[in-house]
Amino acid sequence: MPPSMHQSYVPVFTRYLNQLSALVQRADAHIAITGAGPAALLEARLAPDMAPFLSRCKSRTTSRCAPARY
């Protein structure tokens, strides 16, 4: 029997969300150390051609692989 959608997607999303959680914790620690505001961090980019932090977080929580909803 082929794996179910749950068996296929949940481990992947769990890994992504755990990585995102660690990244947000590091960002929170950075704010505490530097005193920068959260808004500045959400718009921060590691390189000029990279998406802002908030966009990168949003892209991690949406799936391009999930079936389309009509």
Side-chain angles (χ1 to χ4, degrees):
M1 185 164 110
S4 69
M5 292 286 285
H6 182 274
Q7 291 170 327
S8 298
Y9 282 99
V10 169
V12 173
F13 286 122
T14 300
R15 185 175 64 241
Y16 284 160
L17 292 175
N18 286 335
Q19 291 171 349
L20 181 58
S21 177
L23 187 60
V24 169
Q25 288 174 359
R26 290 180 70 184
D28 191 37
H30 178 76
I31 288 172
I33 292 169
T34 63
L41 188 63
L42 291 175
E43 292 301 319
R45 300 168 188 252
L46 293 176
D49 61 342
M50 288 182 71
F53 180 66
L54 182 60
S55 295
R56 296 177 65 81
C57 291
K58 285 181 181 178
S59 71
R60 287 291 183 190
T61 58
T62 58
S63 172
R64 296 181 193 128
C65 301
R69 295 181 189 169
Y70 295 101

